[in-house]
Amino acid sequence: MTGALTIVGLGPGPADWIVPEASAVLDAASDIVGYQSYLDRVPQRPGQQRHGSDNRAEITRARHALAMATEGRRVAVVSGGDPGVFAMAAAVFEAIEAGEAAWRRLDVMVVPGISAMQAAAARLGAPLGHDFCAISLSDNLKPWDVVERRLHAAAEADFVIALFNPASRARPENIHLAFQQLRLCKLATTPVAFARAIGRPDERIVLTRLGDADPATADMSTLVLIGSSETRFIERPGRPPWLLTPRSYGVGR
Amino acid sequence: MTGALTIVGLGPGPADWIVPEASAVLDAASDIVGYQSYLDRVPQRPGQQRHGSDNRAEITRARHALAMATEGRRVAVVSGGDPGVFAMAAAVFEAIEAGEAAWRRLDVMVVPGISAMQAAAARLGAPLGHDFCAISLSDNLKPWDVVERRLHAAAEADFVIALFNPASRARPENIHLAFQQLRLCKLATTPVAFARAIGRPDERIVLTRLGDADPATADMSTLVLIGSSETRFIERPGRPPWLLTPRSYGVGR
């Protein structure tokens, strides 16, 4: 029997945002590997082994999953959001690249999921209707000057900017530094959304503008969206406004 | 009775990449509105009205859907991929912004979906494991110099670049112009993937490098991914390589 490893996206939280292919893979797996909070979201099946770990142990977790697959087991590695976007897919392929030759013969599949960015966009209206970029503010794995260079280029390009991992206990200052920089090169009236834990019971949305935004609003569960020069609020009676980045750009200006 | 309008993402094609919330909304809708090819993917329900239209009639379609919702109907607007990413969500909110005051009182919801970019990433390995941007090459709705400015900034920032709408019958030259420009500012060895119709029967993947890539490989159903300076192939025996952009960037260089 040949083992297989599938990296599965659980989306931002709710079960009705998990694609059926992901559920089928989880049902059929002999072993499920992942950060314990993600494992807790997966219904328990009889005979299925679960291997929970700490959130920062991605490479160890990936190597463990690959070793089990090589033994012929059907392993599912769970990831929040989309495993391809700042998540477990890269960790698994990094482990393969640096690991045993046998791992390159495995069937490795990725099942996509809804990312926090898409969940936030869905709740807010249509902020990603035009060109955008996604930047992780974590500087565990890259020098901070790379983040700064990218923020600058993103502002120059007038992309809508999605910031992942805006704040961690170890680096609470990153989101403050990012806002400092964006304020130098974008208008104070630029719409900003802090979208926290979208789809989960503790969901919270704060809509503001770059000049007024308090970066401390962002915690580890927050996706921060910063508009382009075309992004705007659509006011409506008695409810928070929608956020729109139209499909057209600078047409007729 | 109050009407409602929900914009639903059908993903790139396969039913097992449609989130359960989308299926539930489609089951409960009185009216389904969309481009005819997307409507054809939705199982027919008795008593449900279908309103198909041409792919380029987004705003007309959005206005029609809003008018029906205002009459108290439960309207689902279907979109390929994720409705929030270069798709129908922006068209609907543009119509609301420019339209009748009553439309701002409607319950308008967006159900996210798997975008072509995510489907491509899942099939290829982990090309979006690090910071990236998404640019539509359609210049229907923006001047071409904006596209050029963004490509330049994306190369400066060393983002992984996802190109949507790389070629249309009206503008087959856009993808050629984009590659011309990227070749001026990125290494010829940069990995490139043309991911066509991922998840559909006519799925096709071409892996190459920027210096060798033939832009004519891209058609209207193709998502083009261009790597960052860290993106690389992981070779494996007897099968096409995986594509990886590692989570770390420039660490230790």
Side-chain angles (χ1 to χ4, degrees), chain A residues 17 21 82 94 118 131-132 134 141-142 149-150 156-157 247 249, chain B residues 17 21 82 94 118 131-132 134 141-142 149-150 156-157 247 249:
Chain A
W17 279 353
E21 188 182 42
D82 183 331
E94 286 167 36
Q118 295 168 282
D131 303 339
F132 63 91
L141 297 164
K142 66 185 158 191
R149 177 156 63 93
R150 287 184 174 158
E156 285 281 300
R247 298 162 305 149
Y249 185 91
Chain B
W17 278 353
E21 188 182 40
D82 183 332
E94 286 167 35
Q118 294 168 283
D131 303 339
F132 63 91
L141 297 163
K142 66 184 158 191
R149 176 155 63 92
R150 285 183 175 159
E156 285 282 299
R247 298 161 305 150
Y249 184 92

PDB file of all heavy atoms in Angstrom, chain A residues 17 21 82 94 118 131-132 134 141-142 149-150 156-157 247 249, chain B residues 17 21 82 94 118 131-132 134 141-142 149-150 156-157 247 249:
ATOM      1  N   TRP A  17     -18.120  26.680   5.535  1.00  0.00           N
ATOM      2  CA  TRP A  17     -17.108  27.263   4.638  1.00  0.00           C
ATOM      3  C   TRP A  17     -15.976  26.268   4.339  1.00  0.00           C
ATOM      4  O   TRP A  17     -14.890  26.665   3.919  1.00  0.00           O
ATOM      5  CB  TRP A  17     -16.532  28.546   5.232  1.00  0.00           C
ATOM      6  CG  TRP A  17     -17.393  29.760   5.021  1.00  0.00           C
ATOM      7  CD1 TRP A  17     -18.534  29.862   4.259  1.00  0.00           C
ATOM      8  CD2 TRP A  17     -17.168  31.078   5.563  1.00  0.00           C
ATOM      9  NE1 TRP A  17     -19.027  31.138   4.321  1.00  0.00           N
ATOM     10  CE2 TRP A  17     -18.216  31.910   5.112  1.00  0.00           C
ATOM     11  CE3 TRP A  17     -16.191  31.622   6.393  1.00  0.00           C
ATOM     12  CZ2 TRP A  17     -18.309  33.264   5.455  1.00  0.00           C
ATOM     13  CZ3 TRP A  17     -16.280  32.968   6.744  1.00  0.00           C
ATOM     14  CH2 TRP A  17     -17.334  33.781   6.263  1.00  0.00           C
ATOM     15  N   GLU A  21     -14.569  18.461  -0.713  1.00  0.00           N
ATOM     16  CA  GLU A  21     -13.375  17.635  -0.912  1.00  0.00           C
ATOM     17  C   GLU A  21     -12.550  17.550   0.382  1.00  0.00           C
ATOM     18  O   GLU A  21     -11.982  16.503   0.697  1.00  0.00           O
ATOM     19  CB  GLU A  21     -12.499  18.201  -2.042  1.00  0.00           C
ATOM     20  CG  GLU A  21     -11.353  17.276  -2.408  1.00  0.00           C
ATOM     21  CD  GLU A  21     -10.441  17.834  -3.497  1.00  0.00           C
ATOM     22  OE1 GLU A  21     -10.112  19.042  -3.462  1.00  0.00           O
ATOM     23  OE2 GLU A  21     -10.053  17.062  -4.390  1.00  0.00           O
ATOM     24  N   ASP A  82      -6.766  28.879   3.836  1.00  0.00           N
ATOM     25  CA  ASP A  82      -6.302  28.144   2.659  1.00  0.00           C
ATOM     26  C   ASP A  82      -4.879  27.677   2.963  1.00  0.00           C
ATOM     27  O   ASP A  82      -4.019  28.508   3.269  1.00  0.00           O
ATOM     28  CB  ASP A  82      -6.305  29.078   1.440  1.00  0.00           C
ATOM     29  CG  ASP A  82      -5.908  28.342   0.160  1.00  0.00           C
ATOM     30  OD1 ASP A  82      -5.146  27.352   0.226  1.00  0.00           O
ATOM     31  OD2 ASP A  82      -6.355  28.764  -0.908  1.00  0.00           O
ATOM     32  N   GLU A  94       8.518  22.563   1.922  1.00  0.00           N
ATOM     33  CA  GLU A  94       9.879  22.850   2.433  1.00  0.00           C
ATOM     34  C   GLU A  94      10.492  21.601   3.062  1.00  0.00           C
ATOM     35  O   GLU A  94      11.674  21.307   2.857  1.00  0.00           O
ATOM     36  CB  GLU A  94       9.836  23.965   3.490  1.00  0.00           C
ATOM     37  CG  GLU A  94       9.607  25.348   2.922  1.00  0.00           C
ATOM     38  CD  GLU A  94       9.245  26.344   4.032  1.00  0.00           C
ATOM     39  OE1 GLU A  94       9.771  26.241   5.151  1.00  0.00           O
ATOM     40  OE2 GLU A  94       8.405  27.222   3.758  1.00  0.00           O
ATOM     41  N   GLN A 118     -10.424  36.294   2.206  1.00  0.00           N
ATOM     42  CA  GLN A 118     -11.679  36.158   1.456  1.00  0.00           C
ATOM     43  C   GLN A 118     -12.894  36.236   2.368  1.00  0.00           C
ATOM     44  O   GLN A 118     -13.926  36.797   1.995  1.00  0.00           O
ATOM     45  CB  GLN A 118     -11.693  34.812   0.737  1.00  0.00           C
ATOM     46  CG  GLN A 118     -10.625  34.716  -0.311  1.00  0.00           C
ATOM     47  CD  GLN A 118     -10.489  33.291  -0.795  1.00  0.00           C
ATOM     48  OE1 GLN A 118      -9.894  32.454  -0.119  1.00  0.00           O
ATOM     49  NE2 GLN A 118     -11.054  32.992  -1.942  1.00  0.00           N
ATOM     50  N   ASP A 131      -7.225  44.911  -8.317  1.00  0.00           N
ATOM     51  CA  ASP A 131      -5.891  44.388  -8.005  1.00  0.00           C
ATOM     52  C   ASP A 131      -5.532  44.555  -6.516  1.00  0.00           C
ATOM     53  O   ASP A 131      -5.776  45.597  -5.925  1.00  0.00           O
ATOM     54  CB  ASP A 131      -4.838  45.113  -8.856  1.00  0.00           C
ATOM     55  CG  ASP A 131      -5.126  44.992 -10.357  1.00  0.00           C
ATOM     56  OD1 ASP A 131      -5.860  44.070 -10.765  1.00  0.00           O
ATOM     57  OD2 ASP A 131      -4.620  45.845 -11.111  1.00  0.00           O
ATOM     58  N   PHE A 132      -4.907  43.530  -5.961  1.00  0.00           N
ATOM     59  CA  PHE A 132      -4.586  43.569  -4.531  1.00  0.00           C
ATOM     60  C   PHE A 132      -3.314  42.786  -4.248  1.00  0.00           C
ATOM     61  O   PHE A 132      -2.809  42.050  -5.099  1.00  0.00           O
ATOM     62  CB  PHE A 132      -5.749  42.992  -3.688  1.00  0.00           C
ATOM     63  CG  PHE A 132      -6.050  41.546  -3.954  1.00  0.00           C
ATOM     64  CD1 PHE A 132      -5.432  40.531  -3.217  1.00  0.00           C
ATOM     65  CD2 PHE A 132      -6.953  41.187  -4.944  1.00  0.00           C
ATOM     66  CE1 PHE A 132      -5.706  39.192  -3.465  1.00  0.00           C
ATOM     67  CE2 PHE A 132      -7.239  39.845  -5.202  1.00  0.00           C
ATOM     68  CZ  PHE A 132      -6.613  38.851  -4.468  1.00  0.00           C
ATOM     69  N   ALA A 134      -1.177  40.617  -0.827  1.00  0.00           N
ATOM     70  CA  ALA A 134      -1.269  40.020   0.507  1.00  0.00           C
ATOM     71  C   ALA A 134       0.134  39.956   1.088  1.00  0.00           C
ATOM     72  O   ALA A 134       1.049  39.407   0.464  1.00  0.00           O
ATOM     73  CB  ALA A 134      -1.870  38.625   0.418  1.00  0.00           C
ATOM     74  N   LEU A 141      10.339  35.054   9.673  1.00  0.00           N
ATOM     75  CA  LEU A 141      10.944  34.355   8.548  1.00  0.00           C
ATOM     76  C   LEU A 141      11.424  35.288   7.452  1.00  0.00           C
ATOM     77  O   LEU A 141      11.819  34.855   6.383  1.00  0.00           O
ATOM     78  CB  LEU A 141       9.939  33.336   7.983  1.00  0.00           C
ATOM     79  CG  LEU A 141       9.521  32.220   8.951  1.00  0.00           C
ATOM     80  CD1 LEU A 141       8.278  31.522   8.483  1.00  0.00           C
ATOM     81  CD2 LEU A 141      10.658  31.220   9.132  1.00  0.00           C
ATOM     82  N   LYS A 142      11.334  36.588   7.692  1.00  0.00           N
ATOM     83  CA  LYS A 142      11.922  37.518   6.727  1.00  0.00           C
ATOM     84  C   LYS A 142      12.357  38.778   7.455  1.00  0.00           C
ATOM     85  O   LYS A 142      11.771  39.148   8.475  1.00  0.00           O
ATOM     86  CB  LYS A 142      10.943  37.850   5.601  1.00  0.00           C
ATOM     87  CG  LYS A 142       9.712  38.628   6.026  1.00  0.00           C
ATOM     88  CD  LYS A 142       8.722  38.834   4.890  1.00  0.00           C
ATOM     89  CE  LYS A 142       7.346  39.103   5.465  1.00  0.00           C
ATOM     90  NZ  LYS A 142       6.268  39.074   4.503  1.00  0.00           N
ATOM     91  N   ARG A 149       9.833  47.401   2.297  1.00  0.00           N
ATOM     92  CA  ARG A 149       9.962  47.578   0.852  1.00  0.00           C
ATOM     93  C   ARG A 149       8.656  47.192   0.154  1.00  0.00           C
ATOM     94  O   ARG A 149       8.207  47.854  -0.778  1.00  0.00           O
ATOM     95  CB  ARG A 149      11.123  46.708   0.349  1.00  0.00           C
ATOM     96  CG  ARG A 149      11.343  46.716  -1.132  1.00  0.00           C
ATOM     97  CD  ARG A 149      12.787  46.360  -1.498  1.00  0.00           C
ATOM     98  NE  ARG A 149      13.188  45.018  -1.103  1.00  0.00           N
ATOM     99  CZ  ARG A 149      13.105  43.925  -1.889  1.00  0.00           C
ATOM    100  NH1 ARG A 149      12.621  44.038  -3.113  1.00  0.00           N
ATOM    101  NH2 ARG A 149      13.522  42.754  -1.465  1.00  0.00           N
ATOM    102  N   ARG A 150       8.047  46.127   0.631  1.00  0.00           N
ATOM    103  CA  ARG A 150       6.806  45.663   0.000  1.00  0.00           C
ATOM    104  C   ARG A 150       5.638  46.598   0.283  1.00  0.00           C
ATOM    105  O   ARG A 150       4.811  46.845  -0.591  1.00  0.00           O
ATOM    106  CB  ARG A 150       6.489  44.245   0.470  1.00  0.00           C
ATOM    107  CG  ARG A 150       7.439  43.280  -0.190  1.00  0.00           C
ATOM    108  CD  ARG A 150       7.165  41.839   0.131  1.00  0.00           C
ATOM    109  NE  ARG A 150       8.073  41.041  -0.679  1.00  0.00           N
ATOM    110  CZ  ARG A 150       8.454  39.804  -0.421  1.00  0.00           C
ATOM    111  NH1 ARG A 150       7.987  39.180   0.645  1.00  0.00           N
ATOM    112  NH2 ARG A 150       9.284  39.177  -1.223  1.00  0.00           N
ATOM    113  N   GLU A 156       2.785  52.381  -3.803  1.00  0.00           N
ATOM    114  CA  GLU A 156       3.126  52.934  -5.133  1.00  0.00           C
ATOM    115  C   GLU A 156       2.208  52.369  -6.210  1.00  0.00           C
ATOM    116  O   GLU A 156       1.765  53.079  -7.112  1.00  0.00           O
ATOM    117  CB  GLU A 156       4.564  52.527  -5.521  1.00  0.00           C
ATOM    118  CG  GLU A 156       5.648  53.259  -4.827  1.00  0.00           C
ATOM    119  CD  GLU A 156       5.860  54.630  -5.425  1.00  0.00           C
ATOM    120  OE1 GLU A 156       6.178  54.716  -6.621  1.00  0.00           O
ATOM    121  OE2 GLU A 156       5.693  55.625  -4.671  1.00  0.00           O
ATOM    122  N   ALA A 157       1.974  51.068  -6.132  1.00  0.00           N
ATOM    123  CA  ALA A 157       1.143  50.394  -7.141  1.00  0.00           C
ATOM    124  C   ALA A 157      -0.335  50.671  -6.907  1.00  0.00           C
ATOM    125  O   ALA A 157      -1.161  50.357  -7.754  1.00  0.00           O
ATOM    126  CB  ALA A 157       1.386  48.886  -7.088  1.00  0.00           C
ATOM    127  N   ARG A 247     -14.406  47.698 -10.004  1.00  0.00           N
ATOM    128  CA  ARG A 247     -13.625  46.970 -11.001  1.00  0.00           C
ATOM    129  C   ARG A 247     -12.849  47.922 -11.902  1.00  0.00           C
ATOM    130  O   ARG A 247     -11.809  47.580 -12.438  1.00  0.00           O
ATOM    131  CB  ARG A 247     -14.551  46.090 -11.829  1.00  0.00           C
ATOM    132  CG  ARG A 247     -15.264  45.017 -10.999  1.00  0.00           C
ATOM    133  CD  ARG A 247     -16.463  44.476 -11.746  1.00  0.00           C
ATOM    134  NE  ARG A 247     -17.334  45.577 -12.129  1.00  0.00           N
ATOM    135  CZ  ARG A 247     -18.102  45.598 -13.218  1.00  0.00           C
ATOM    136  NH1 ARG A 247     -18.125  44.574 -14.020  1.00  0.00           N
ATOM    137  NH2 ARG A 247     -18.834  46.666 -13.489  1.00  0.00           N
ATOM    138  N   TYR A 249     -10.683  51.425 -12.793  1.00  0.00           N
ATOM    139  CA  TYR A 249      -9.648  52.177 -12.092  1.00  0.00           C
ATOM    140  C   TYR A 249      -9.250  53.375 -12.932  1.00  0.00           C
ATOM    141  O   TYR A 249      -8.790  53.213 -14.063  1.00  0.00           O
ATOM    142  CB  TYR A 249      -8.414  51.318 -11.840  1.00  0.00           C
ATOM    143  CG  TYR A 249      -7.363  52.023 -11.015  1.00  0.00           C
ATOM    144  CD1 TYR A 249      -7.370  51.905  -9.636  1.00  0.00           C
ATOM    145  CD2 TYR A 249      -6.404  52.838 -11.619  1.00  0.00           C
ATOM    146  CE1 TYR A 249      -6.424  52.564  -8.862  1.00  0.00           C
ATOM    147  CE2 TYR A 249      -5.465  53.510 -10.849  1.00  0.00           C
ATOM    148  CZ  TYR A 249      -5.475  53.366  -9.473  1.00  0.00           C
ATOM    149  OH  TYR A 249      -4.555  54.037  -8.715  1.00  0.00           O
TER     150      TYR A 249
ATOM    151  N   TRP B  17     -15.544  21.571  -4.744  1.00  0.00           N
ATOM    152  CA  TRP B  17     -14.856  22.799  -4.320  1.00  0.00           C
ATOM    153  C   TRP B  17     -15.854  23.944  -4.072  1.00  0.00           C
ATOM    154  O   TRP B  17     -15.463  25.111  -4.068  1.00  0.00           O
ATOM    155  CB  TRP B  17     -13.824  23.229  -5.371  1.00  0.00           C
ATOM    156  CG  TRP B  17     -12.518  22.493  -5.277  1.00  0.00           C
ATOM    157  CD1 TRP B  17     -12.116  21.612  -4.315  1.00  0.00           C
ATOM    158  CD2 TRP B  17     -11.406  22.602  -6.195  1.00  0.00           C
ATOM    159  NE1 TRP B  17     -10.840  21.153  -4.587  1.00  0.00           N
ATOM    160  CE2 TRP B  17     -10.380  21.748  -5.728  1.00  0.00           C
ATOM    161  CE3 TRP B  17     -11.187  23.331  -7.365  1.00  0.00           C
ATOM    162  CZ2 TRP B  17      -9.158  21.602  -6.378  1.00  0.00           C
ATOM    163  CZ3 TRP B  17      -9.967  23.191  -8.010  1.00  0.00           C
ATOM    164  CH2 TRP B  17      -8.962  22.337  -7.528  1.00  0.00           C
ATOM    165  N   GLU B  21     -22.230  26.441   2.376  1.00  0.00           N
ATOM    166  CA  GLU B  21     -23.091  27.619   2.483  1.00  0.00           C
ATOM    167  C   GLU B  21     -23.578  28.065   1.102  1.00  0.00           C
ATOM    168  O   GLU B  21     -24.724  28.493   0.946  1.00  0.00           O
ATOM    169  CB  GLU B  21     -22.349  28.778   3.166  1.00  0.00           C
ATOM    170  CG  GLU B  21     -23.263  29.960   3.467  1.00  0.00           C
ATOM    171  CD  GLU B  21     -22.539  31.152   4.095  1.00  0.00           C
ATOM    172  OE1 GLU B  21     -21.409  31.477   3.686  1.00  0.00           O
ATOM    173  OE2 GLU B  21     -23.117  31.744   5.021  1.00  0.00           O
ATOM    174  N   ASP B  82     -14.123  33.021  -6.625  1.00  0.00           N
ATOM    175  CA  ASP B  82     -14.578  33.761  -5.457  1.00  0.00           C
ATOM    176  C   ASP B  82     -15.246  35.029  -5.972  1.00  0.00           C
ATOM    177  O   ASP B  82     -14.605  35.804  -6.698  1.00  0.00           O
ATOM    178  CB  ASP B  82     -13.378  34.112  -4.570  1.00  0.00           C
ATOM    179  CG  ASP B  82     -13.788  34.830  -3.293  1.00  0.00           C
ATOM    180  OD1 ASP B  82     -14.832  35.514  -3.284  1.00  0.00           O
ATOM    181  OD2 ASP B  82     -13.066  34.699  -2.288  1.00  0.00           O
ATOM    182  N   GLU B  94     -21.235  48.087  -6.992  1.00  0.00           N
ATOM    183  CA  GLU B  94     -21.230  49.266  -7.884  1.00  0.00           C
ATOM    184  C   GLU B  94     -22.655  49.644  -8.287  1.00  0.00           C
ATOM    185  O   GLU B  94     -23.006  50.826  -8.317  1.00  0.00           O
ATOM    186  CB  GLU B  94     -20.428  48.963  -9.160  1.00  0.00           C
ATOM    187  CG  GLU B  94     -18.926  48.938  -8.953  1.00  0.00           C
ATOM    188  CD  GLU B  94     -18.211  48.328 -10.166  1.00  0.00           C
ATOM    189  OE1 GLU B  94     -18.665  48.530 -11.310  1.00  0.00           O
ATOM    190  OE2 GLU B  94     -17.209  47.620  -9.960  1.00  0.00           O
ATOM    191  N   GLN B 118      -6.215  30.136  -6.198  1.00  0.00           N
ATOM    192  CA  GLN B 118      -6.036  29.131  -5.139  1.00  0.00           C
ATOM    193  C   GLN B 118      -6.057  27.717  -5.700  1.00  0.00           C
ATOM    194  O   GLN B 118      -5.324  26.841  -5.238  1.00  0.00           O
ATOM    195  CB  GLN B 118      -7.154  29.281  -4.109  1.00  0.00           C
ATOM    196  CG  GLN B 118      -7.078  30.581  -3.366  1.00  0.00           C
ATOM    197  CD  GLN B 118      -8.343  30.812  -2.578  1.00  0.00           C
ATOM    198  OE1 GLN B 118      -9.373  31.182  -3.127  1.00  0.00           O
ATOM    199  NE2 GLN B 118      -8.277  30.563  -1.288  1.00  0.00           N
ATOM    200  N   ASP B 131       4.417  36.317   0.449  1.00  0.00           N
ATOM    201  CA  ASP B 131       3.700  37.499  -0.035  1.00  0.00           C
ATOM    202  C   ASP B 131       3.457  37.451  -1.549  1.00  0.00           C
ATOM    203  O   ASP B 131       4.341  37.090  -2.319  1.00  0.00           O
ATOM    204  CB  ASP B 131       4.507  38.760   0.301  1.00  0.00           C
ATOM    205  CG  ASP B 131       4.794  38.878   1.801  1.00  0.00           C
ATOM    206  OD1 ASP B 131       4.083  38.254   2.610  1.00  0.00           O
ATOM    207  OD2 ASP B 131       5.751  39.603   2.144  1.00  0.00           O
ATOM    208  N   PHE B 132       2.273  37.862  -1.946  1.00  0.00           N
ATOM    209  CA  PHE B 132       1.908  37.789  -3.369  1.00  0.00           C
ATOM    210  C   PHE B 132       0.958  38.918  -3.740  1.00  0.00           C
ATOM    211  O   PHE B 132       0.420  39.610  -2.873  1.00  0.00           O
ATOM    212  CB  PHE B 132       1.262  36.433  -3.695  1.00  0.00           C
ATOM    213  CG  PHE B 132      -0.037  36.174  -2.980  1.00  0.00           C
ATOM    214  CD1 PHE B 132      -1.256  36.533  -3.550  1.00  0.00           C
ATOM    215  CD2 PHE B 132      -0.042  35.565  -1.730  1.00  0.00           C
ATOM    216  CE1 PHE B 132      -2.456  36.293  -2.885  1.00  0.00           C
ATOM    217  CE2 PHE B 132      -1.240  35.324  -1.062  1.00  0.00           C
ATOM    218  CZ  PHE B 132      -2.450  35.690  -1.639  1.00  0.00           C
ATOM    219  N   ALA B 134      -2.211  39.983  -6.865  1.00  0.00           N
ATOM    220  CA  ALA B 134      -3.115  39.525  -7.916  1.00  0.00           C
ATOM    221  C   ALA B 134      -3.454  40.718  -8.796  1.00  0.00           C
ATOM    222  O   ALA B 134      -3.901  41.757  -8.304  1.00  0.00           O
ATOM    223  CB  ALA B 134      -4.374  38.942  -7.297  1.00  0.00           C
ATOM    224  N   LEU B 141     -11.344  48.094 -18.034  1.00  0.00           N
ATOM    225  CA  LEU B 141     -11.815  48.965 -16.956  1.00  0.00           C
ATOM    226  C   LEU B 141     -10.687  49.748 -16.303  1.00  0.00           C
ATOM    227  O   LEU B 141     -10.864  50.389 -15.297  1.00  0.00           O
ATOM    228  CB  LEU B 141     -12.550  48.136 -15.898  1.00  0.00           C
ATOM    229  CG  LEU B 141     -13.829  47.443 -16.399  1.00  0.00           C
ATOM    230  CD1 LEU B 141     -14.259  46.345 -15.454  1.00  0.00           C
ATOM    231  CD2 LEU B 141     -14.958  48.460 -16.577  1.00  0.00           C
ATOM    232  N   LYS B 142      -9.483  49.632 -16.868  1.00  0.00           N
ATOM    233  CA  LYS B 142      -8.398  50.468 -16.363  1.00  0.00           C
ATOM    234  C   LYS B 142      -7.417  50.735 -17.493  1.00  0.00           C
ATOM    235  O   LYS B 142      -7.265  49.905 -18.385  1.00  0.00           O
ATOM    236  CB  LYS B 142      -7.697  49.843 -15.157  1.00  0.00           C
ATOM    237  CG  LYS B 142      -6.949  48.566 -15.455  1.00  0.00           C
ATOM    238  CD  LYS B 142      -6.352  47.925 -14.205  1.00  0.00           C
ATOM    239  CE  LYS B 142      -6.116  46.451 -14.448  1.00  0.00           C
ATOM    240  NZ  LYS B 142      -5.792  45.681 -13.257  1.00  0.00           N
ATOM    241  N   ARG B 149       2.431  49.945 -14.404  1.00  0.00           N
ATOM    242  CA  ARG B 149       2.958  50.463 -13.144  1.00  0.00           C
ATOM    243  C   ARG B 149       2.890  49.382 -12.061  1.00  0.00           C
ATOM    244  O   ARG B 149       3.814  49.225 -11.248  1.00  0.00           O
ATOM    245  CB  ARG B 149       2.133  51.692 -12.730  1.00  0.00           C
ATOM    246  CG  ARG B 149       2.496  52.294 -11.408  1.00  0.00           C
ATOM    247  CD  ARG B 149       2.108  53.769 -11.333  1.00  0.00           C
ATOM    248  NE  ARG B 149       0.681  54.021 -11.447  1.00  0.00           N
ATOM    249  CZ  ARG B 149      -0.165  54.119 -10.404  1.00  0.00           C
ATOM    250  NH1 ARG B 149       0.286  54.000  -9.173  1.00  0.00           N
ATOM    251  NH2 ARG B 149      -1.447  54.368 -10.587  1.00  0.00           N
ATOM    252  N   ARG B 150       1.808  48.641 -12.050  1.00  0.00           N
ATOM    253  CA  ARG B 150       1.639  47.604 -11.025  1.00  0.00           C
ATOM    254  C   ARG B 150       2.592  46.431 -11.241  1.00  0.00           C
ATOM    255  O   ARG B 150       3.133  45.882 -10.285  1.00  0.00           O
ATOM    256  CB  ARG B 150       0.192  47.132 -11.003  1.00  0.00           C
ATOM    257  CG  ARG B 150      -0.657  48.189 -10.348  1.00  0.00           C
ATOM    258  CD  ARG B 150      -2.100  47.798 -10.212  1.00  0.00           C
ATOM    259  NE  ARG B 150      -2.749  48.874  -9.452  1.00  0.00           N
ATOM    260  CZ  ARG B 150      -4.046  49.126  -9.458  1.00  0.00           C
ATOM    261  NH1 ARG B 150      -4.867  48.370 -10.143  1.00  0.00           N
ATOM    262  NH2 ARG B 150      -4.529  50.124  -8.750  1.00  0.00           N
ATOM    263  N   GLU B 156       9.481  44.954  -8.294  1.00  0.00           N
ATOM    264  CA  GLU B 156      10.310  45.652  -7.291  1.00  0.00           C
ATOM    265  C   GLU B 156      10.133  45.041  -5.903  1.00  0.00           C
ATOM    266  O   GLU B 156      11.083  44.874  -5.150  1.00  0.00           O
ATOM    267  CB  GLU B 156       9.870  47.129  -7.174  1.00  0.00           C
ATOM    268  CG  GLU B 156      10.297  48.009  -8.303  1.00  0.00           C
ATOM    269  CD  GLU B 156      11.748  48.390  -8.162  1.00  0.00           C
ATOM    270  OE1 GLU B 156      12.101  49.039  -7.154  1.00  0.00           O
ATOM    271  OE2 GLU B 156      12.530  48.047  -9.062  1.00  0.00           O
ATOM    272  N   ALA B 157       8.875  44.749  -5.577  1.00  0.00           N
ATOM    273  CA  ALA B 157       8.566  44.210  -4.249  1.00  0.00           C
ATOM    274  C   ALA B 157       8.935  42.733  -4.152  1.00  0.00           C
ATOM    275  O   ALA B 157       8.923  42.165  -3.070  1.00  0.00           O
ATOM    276  CB  ALA B 157       7.079  44.383  -3.957  1.00  0.00           C
ATOM    277  N   ARG B 247       8.226  29.924   3.096  1.00  0.00           N
ATOM    278  CA  ARG B 247       7.686  30.937   4.014  1.00  0.00           C
ATOM    279  C   ARG B 247       8.763  31.952   4.392  1.00  0.00           C
ATOM    280  O   ARG B 247       8.460  33.093   4.718  1.00  0.00           O
ATOM    281  CB  ARG B 247       7.135  30.252   5.265  1.00  0.00           C
ATOM    282  CG  ARG B 247       5.973  29.300   4.957  1.00  0.00           C
ATOM    283  CD  ARG B 247       5.780  28.336   6.105  1.00  0.00           C
ATOM    284  NE  ARG B 247       7.017  27.649   6.386  1.00  0.00           N
ATOM    285  CZ  ARG B 247       7.394  27.198   7.560  1.00  0.00           C
ATOM    286  NH1 ARG B 247       6.607  27.347   8.600  1.00  0.00           N
ATOM    287  NH2 ARG B 247       8.551  26.594   7.714  1.00  0.00           N
ATOM    288  N   TYR B 249      12.128  34.385   3.757  1.00  0.00           N
ATOM    289  CA  TYR B 249      12.583  35.202   2.635  1.00  0.00           C
ATOM    290  C   TYR B 249      13.901  35.854   2.996  1.00  0.00           C
ATOM    291  O   TYR B 249      13.985  36.617   3.974  1.00  0.00           O
ATOM    292  CB  TYR B 249      11.567  36.299   2.308  1.00  0.00           C
ATOM    293  CG  TYR B 249      11.955  37.110   1.086  1.00  0.00           C
ATOM    294  CD1 TYR B 249      11.497  36.728  -0.174  1.00  0.00           C
ATOM    295  CD2 TYR B 249      12.786  38.217   1.190  1.00  0.00           C
ATOM    296  CE1 TYR B 249      11.855  37.433  -1.309  1.00  0.00           C
ATOM    297  CE2 TYR B 249      13.166  38.929   0.059  1.00  0.00           C
ATOM    298  CZ  TYR B 249      12.694  38.538  -1.176  1.00  0.00           C
ATOM    299  OH  TYR B 249      13.053  39.241  -2.295  1.00  0.00           O
TER     300      TYR B 249
END
